[in-house]
Amino acid sequence: MQVKCAICDQVEDIEDNSLQAKRLRNRRIHMYLCNPCYDRIGENTKKRLATGRFRLKEEKQHSDDLI
Ligand SMILES: [Zn+2]
């Protein structure tokens, strides 16, 4: 599946059957982060992102395919 990084908007392909893809589809995690961004941000930010309460910018409605 294609996923878009919540921070830098880079679109990446991840394995459909990967744990991360399953968690995204089940909305247990709300945003995908690419590895460089994930490494860059701190633990607290990761926790906020995981809850979906943290918004870096307005989400666009037309990007439904891309999480
Ligand atoms: Zn990124």
Side-chain angles (χ1 to χ4, degrees), residues 5-10 33-37 40:
C5 174
I7 293 180
C8 69
D9 282 350
Q10 178 170 315
L33 293 181
C34 68
N35 286 328
C37 290
R40 200 170 63 225

Side-chain angles (χ1 to χ4, degrees), residues 54-65:
F54 182 61
R55 290 282 184 267
L56 288 158
K57 60 179 183 177
E58 295 289 315
E59 291 186 339
K60 298 183 186 80
Q61 292 300 321
H62 69 259
S63 59
D64 283 345
D65 304 344

Side-chain angles (χ1 to χ4, degrees), residues 1 3 5 10 16 19 24 26 28 32-33 36-39 43-48 51-53 56 58 61 64-65:
M1 67 186 282
V3 292
C5 174
Q10 178 170 315
D16 283 349
L19 179 63
L24 278 163
N26 291 336
R28 265 181 278 171
Y32 174 77
L33 293 181
C37 290
Y38 190 83
D39 288 344
E43 284 297 329
N44 289 338
T45 307
K46 288 172 194 167
K47 285 173 190 160
R48 285 202 303 266
T51 66
R53 270 175 270 161
L56 288 158
E58 295 289 315
Q61 292 300 321
D64 283 345
D65 304 344

Side-chain angles (χ1 to χ4, degrees), residues 2-3 9 11 13-15 22-23 25 27 30-31 35-36 43 47-48 65:
Q2 281 199 313
V3 292
D9 282 350
V11 176
D13 268 311
I14 61 174
E15 281 288 330
K22 286 175 185 167
R23 290 170 71 203
R25 278 199 295 266
R27 297 291 198 239
H30 294 259
M31 291 182 188
N35 286 328
E43 284 297 329
K47 285 173 190 160
R48 285 202 303 266
D65 304 344

